[in-house]
Amino acid sequence: MAKKSSSTKSSGGIGGFFKKILFVIMLLAIIALGGFVYLLINFDSIKGKMAERIDIQQEKIALDSEHFEKVKIHLNINNNLPFEVVFKNMVFEMTVDGYKVLSKDGKDNKMQAVAMVPLKPNVGNKTIITCDVGEPAVIKRAIQKAIEKNAGKLIKAVLSQKSVKKEISDDIKAITNVKGTADFMIKIGSMEIPFQKNLVFN
């Protein structure tokens, strides 16, 4: 009878152990579900916070050919998030001295450049995006007018030995405005989490 009692206690102890494990698993599942629901509810806010941690500076805007058929935007991007982010693309409107530049391939007359550049955390990433221009003559005329309007200032700058751009077509950032969005994503295994940052360069 004593042996039977010992066996009963042993089986009862094992059953209690499994109940504790089951309780811990259920508790973890509830916490994970709560975290998932929280992420869903606050997803837009979280994406906005992530976008704030990406710093994008425009260093230079250059015309790639003498026929003004291609524009290059030189960017310096700092990823201040603790994980790698992919810079997917940039969709924007561009004006040169007030003239709107149309894209050859963009939708709704907007410029669109595919990047797909991985950005390491806490590192300055220099990258160049390129777009084909739909109406090169518009940029050419805009630059000509800008030169005409600023010729006096440019000549004065040269005479006073101040730094001045030798070729305005080599860097037209001073007479260019860019407004649009940059698309990013975080990859977690096979899952992609996209977020977007608004841009204004002028």
Side-chain angles (χ1 to χ4, degrees), residues 16 29 51 60 87 100-101 106 121 124 183 191 195 197:
K60 177 180 177 180
F87 174 29
K100 186 173 181 179
V101 180
D183 293 310
M191 185 172 64
F195 64 98
K197 183 177 182 69

Side-chain angles (χ1 to χ4, degrees), residues 14-30:
I14 293 171
F17 176 72
F18 279 113
K19 282 182 181 178
K20 287 180 181 178
I21 290 177
L22 184 61
F23 175 76
V24 170
I25 291 173
M26 289 178 64
L27 184 62
L28 291 174
I30 291 170

Side-chain angles (χ1 to χ4, degrees), residues 15-85:
F17 176 72
F18 279 113
K19 282 182 181 178
K20 287 180 181 178
I21 290 177
L22 184 61
F23 175 76
V24 170
I25 291 173
M26 289 178 64
L27 184 62
L28 291 174
I30 291 170
I31 292 171
L33 181 62
F36 181 70
V37 171
Y38 176 82
L39 285 174
L40 284 179
I41 294 172
N42 298 279
F43 196 49
D44 289 339
S45 174
I46 291 169
K47 289 196 294 184
K49 295 288 184 186
M50 287 193 295
E52 289 175 6
R53 301 293 300 276
I54 306 292
D55 181 50
I56 306 180
Q57 300 295 327
Q58 176 184 257
E59 291 191 339
K60 177 180 177 180
I61 298 181
L63 295 167
D64 193 42
S65 74
E66 59 185 24
H67 301 294
F68 303 160
E69 295 171 346
K70 201 177 290 289
V71 65
K72 284 185 172 183
I73 301 180
H74 296 242
L75 299 171
N76 188 17
I77 308 176
N78 282 293
N79 172 20
N80 297 309
L81 291 166
F83 40 77
E84 185 173 283
V85 170

Side-chain angles (χ1 to χ4, degrees), residues 89-160:
N89 59 52
M90 187 168 153
V91 179
F92 57 98
E93 293 182 350
M94 174 186 286
T95 59
V96 177
D97 198 41
Y99 289 84
K100 186 173 181 179
V101 180
L102 301 182
S103 172
K104 190 174 181 180
D105 304 313
K107 296 178 181 179
D108 302 322
N109 292 329
K110 290 186 178 180
M111 309 289 281
Q112 186 168 1
V114 177
M116 296 307 293
V117 177
L119 307 172
K120 294 187 185 240
N122 301 311
V123 174
N125 300 270
K126 291 183 182 293
T127 187
I128 301 171
I129 59 170
T130 305
C131 290
D132 292 324
V133 176
E135 298 178 3
V138 173
I139 292 187
K140 188 174 182 180
R141 182 59 185 149
I143 290 175
Q144 287 172 341
K145 282 202 167 187
I147 291 172
E148 289 169 8
K149 285 193 295 185
N150 296 292
K153 293 179 183 177
L154 292 174
I155 291 169
K156 286 178 184 177
V158 171
L159 291 175
S160 61

Side-chain angles (χ1 to χ4, degrees), residues 1-10:
M1 292 296 292
K3 286 184 181 180
K4 187 176 180 181
S5 175
S6 175
S7 176
T8 304
K9 285 181 181 179
S10 177

Side-chain angles (χ1 to χ4, degrees), residues 155-172:
I155 291 169
K156 286 178 184 177
V158 171
L159 291 175
S160 61
Q161 296 184 349
K162 291 181 181 177
S163 62
V164 65
K165 298 178 182 70
K166 292 181 180 179
E167 294 179 7
I168 198 165
S169 62
D170 184 53
D171 184 0
I172 58 171

